[in-house]
Amino acid sequence: MHHDVTRRRFFGIAGSALAVGASAAALGAGQDARPIKILAVSGSMRKGKTTAAALAVCLEAAKAVDPAHIEVELIELAGLKIPGEPAADLPLEPGQKDDFPQLAPKLTDPNVAGIIVGSPVYFGDMSSLCKAFFERWRPFRKDFALSNKVGGALAVGSARNGGQENVLRSIQLAMFGQEMILVGDGRPTSHSGATLWNNYKDDILKDETGIATAKNLGRRVAEVARLIRRAQDLAR
């Protein structure tokens, strides 16, 4: 008897899943109800250099998934002041500049469905600027403002195996704490994220292997973000 009930329950769930899938396919044939925005954040202290260039490749691939409905934006932390005191509930010094409050609304914007964060490798980990950026995410946990946004990680190192995967893991751990949905770089490379090698005097585009991972990451973030957005719109 228990076996029969379990089977009936299984087929009922399967039928519901098929119905949802059919509805999603129908929605996909039309226009998305809300715009989908993908942000890329460069944690490099060098503005416009290899990390930013690699993230631009990601965004180009993300936009190509659905040019009519996907918007993209690159944010560079270079030149911004992101002090760590507020992350520890400590006051800023008089006159101390803090640029993070202007970034927060961009990250929590309901239209932002995906966030890709990139950093150069410094001694096997992300840059101090990137780390400070993530530490300031603490208030987002109060209501999990980044929940179900798709997260992706990118790292640029001065050697092919120069600590990039450690940086990816550090970025991903910060995102896991925000209840984000993380993806890797997708097929055919399909690993933990985008890993690039700056061995060509800041011309990252010559790293064909790394560029492939950046393209696949951007595409994968956009694909999953679009699926989640469609499911959310169906549930409204």
Side-chain angles (χ1 to χ4, degrees), residues 67-87:
H69 304 113
I70 292 179
E71 303 172 1
V72 298
E73 180 180 354
L74 174 64
I75 298 172
E76 295 197 62
L77 302 183
L80 300 183
K81 300 298 182 182
I82 305 179
E85 286 87 349

Side-chain angles (χ1 to χ4, degrees), residues 111-123:
N111 288 332
V112 171
I115 301 173
I116 304 170
V117 177
S119 173
V121 180
Y122 285 96
F123 293 97

Side-chain angles (χ1 to χ4, degrees), residues 114-152:
I115 301 173
I116 304 170
V117 177
S119 173
V121 180
Y122 285 96
F123 293 97
D125 211 335
M126 67 175 76
S127 70
S128 59
L129 182 58
C130 194
K131 183 67 163 59
F133 171 69
F134 277 123
E135 288 177 353
R136 296 295 299 276
W137 284 23
R138 180 185 168 199
F140 298 155
R141 285 176 54 87
K142 292 180 180 178
D143 57 1
F144 284 91
L146 303 183
S147 179
N148 293 330
K149 295 183 188 292
V150 180

